[in-house]
Amino acid sequence: MTATTSPAAAPETPSPLTDVTRDEASLRRFLHGLPGVDQVGVEQRAAGLATRSIKKEAKRWAIDTAVSMVDLTTLEGADTRGKVRGLAAKAMRPDPERQDCPRVAAVCVYPDLVETAVEALAGSGVRVASVATGFPAGRTSREVKLADTRQAVEAGADEVDMVIDRGAFLEGRYLEVFEEIRAVKEACGSAHLKVILETGELATYDNVRRASWLALLAGGDFIKTSTGKVSPAATLPVTHVMLQAVRDWHERTGELRGVKPAGGIRTTKDAIKYLVAVHEVAGEQWLTPELFRFGASSLLNDLLLQRRTQVDGHYSGPDYVTVD
């Protein structure tokens, strides 16, 4: 695997898939006409790729790439402005003693803390992401979901992470889910939209594929596995299915969309398994924070420890990094 530059913006041409969303019947026919996922096959391939090792000289690059893809996240009821400021400081300088350590991609907070994050990260290049739409359950009216989104964007959020209505999806009300994602995308304005599928509640890989395509059809810039509040959260096989979706979307439309696994990714070894999957399933072009992110906080701590090991030649204990 080698580093890659950020891709060019997607061409501004009408999607050739527009007709499939004209009504419920057309959308259902399209989604249920997608190739079924071979459960055994995708799990075996994920397990096989997870055993791949990378050369020692490439490990430092992999660690730095993973650091640059982290959405440093705090989504707790007890979050304070002070905690967000501390997280922002860590995002900008993950390892204060190592000036060459890359910044993370974004800091992700609740809408009411976006303004604090924006102020703390001003001029740093680290983006501010905000969950919205009644996160994590999404059990509220569309009016409230859109107000939630607008609050985040008006406060300065660069990215919005929305949750889909899993109940509507599982009942087969696909057009309703599609229209809600489109409405949220419109409310985002210039902010990027990450669509959380909550794959742990979708039950099957076929549903993950259908939900991925539904989110892409509706304009999601990223498809994201999980809120981190439901188990299982991110898994390698599910991420494989989602990477296949964005790869196939690109082949059909020419548009590049991203993937964000979130929840349960805690170690450098785990992160490298996901980077291998990105390279082998979607392609090298996706090995950039513009198209792949990790939704995590504890992951960053281990990445920093392993980075010090690579640089210094010996293991540094957890006392050498800030622990969230």
Side-chain angles (χ1 to χ4, degrees):
M1 296 186 296
T2 56
T4 184
T5 56
S6 298
E12 303 228 353
T13 56
S15 169
L17 296 167
T18 301
D19 285 349
V20 307
T21 61
R22 66 179 179 269
D23 54 43
E24 186 74 66
S26 299
L27 186 53
R28 176 181 298 277
R29 188 162 50 248
F30 174 80
L31 293 176
H32 283 265
L34 292 169
V37 179
D38 177 354
Q39 179 176 345
V40 174
V42 75
E43 289 178 352
Q44 285 182 342
R45 188 179 188 204
L49 288 178
T51 65
R52 294 269 187 93
S53 59
I54 62 174
K55 295 179 181 179
K56 186 175 181 180
E57 56 268 27
K59 190 171 183 181
R60 167 72 180 276
W61 173 84
I63 291 171
D64 279 2
T65 298
V67 169
S68 74
M69 292 174 166
V70 168
D71 281 1
L72 200 54
T73 303
T74 183
L75 297 170
E76 303 298 333
D79 286 344
T80 64
R81 286 175 291 181
K83 183 177 182 180
V84 171
R85 292 188 190 102
L87 207 65
K90 184 172 182 176
M92 292 183 288
R93 295 186 62 185
D95 188 341
E97 296 180 6
R98 301 291 189 276
Q99 298 295 322
D100 60 343
C101 184
R103 299 176 301 233
V104 306
V107 168
C108 185
V109 296
Y110 277 113
D112 62 309
L113 290 168
V114 166
E115 187 174 355
T116 299
V118 169
E119 291 172 354
L121 293 167
S124 69
V126 177
R127 298 181 179 181
V128 176
S130 175
V131 295
T133 66
F135 179 94
R139 308 304 299 190
T140 188
S141 68
R142 186 175 300 183
E143 181 181 4
V144 171
K145 291 177 181 180
L146 294 177
D148 205 22
T149 302
R150 293 188 188 104
Q151 178 188 352
V153 173
E154 288 169 5
D158 304 297
E159 303 172 355
V160 171
D161 291 29
M162 74 165 288
V163 290
I164 68 166
D165 185 335
R166 283 86 76 191
F169 177 86
L170 292 170
E171 288 182 348
R173 291 182 277 131
Y174 300 134
L175 192 60
E176 181 179 331
V177 178
F178 170 84
E179 289 174 345
E180 185 161 279
I181 298 171
R182 286 294 296 268
V184 173
K185 173 66 174 175
E186 184 176 352
C188 283
S190 62
H192 282 194
L193 177 63
K194 304 194 201 85
V195 183
I196 306 172
L197 309 181
E198 199 66 285
T199 54
E201 295 183 339
L202 298 186
T204 69
Y205 294 126
D206 285 343
N207 276 342
V208 172
R209 174 166 285 171
R210 290 172 189 141
S212 296
W213 274 87
L214 184 58
L216 295 171
L217 287 164
D221 297 293
F222 267 74
I223 47 176
K224 177 178 172 181
T225 60
S226 336
T227 61
K229 307 295 186 182
V230 170
S231 183
T235 69
L236 275 168
V238 159
T239 304
H240 273 238
V241 174
M242 295 169 67
L243 287 166
Q244 290 168 2
V246 296
R247 178 200 64 199
D248 294 346
W249 176 268
H250 178 251
E251 289 176 357
R252 292 188 68 164
T253 69
E255 298 171 357
L256 289 163
R257 307 287 180 85
V259 174
K260 178 180 173 180
I265 305 170
R266 296 185 176 89
T267 69
T268 300
K269 184 180 293 187
D270 288 339
I272 289 175
K273 290 176 183 178
Y274 279 87
L275 293 182
V276 170
V278 173
H279 185 272
E280 296 298 321
V281 179
E284 186 177 4
Q285 193 170 15
W286 271 264
L287 287 169
T288 163
E290 297 303 314
L291 292 173
F292 194 78
R293 298 281 183 86
F294 292 105
S297 288
S298 59
L299 170 62
L300 182 59
N301 298 328
D302 192 66
L303 288 168
L304 296 177
L305 289 174
Q306 296 303 322
R307 189 179 192 276
R308 280 182 172 240
T309 299
Q310 292 290 308
V311 173
D312 300 340
H314 60 81
Y315 178 76
S316 297
D319 291 344
Y320 289 87
V321 299
T322 57
V323 178
D324 303 311

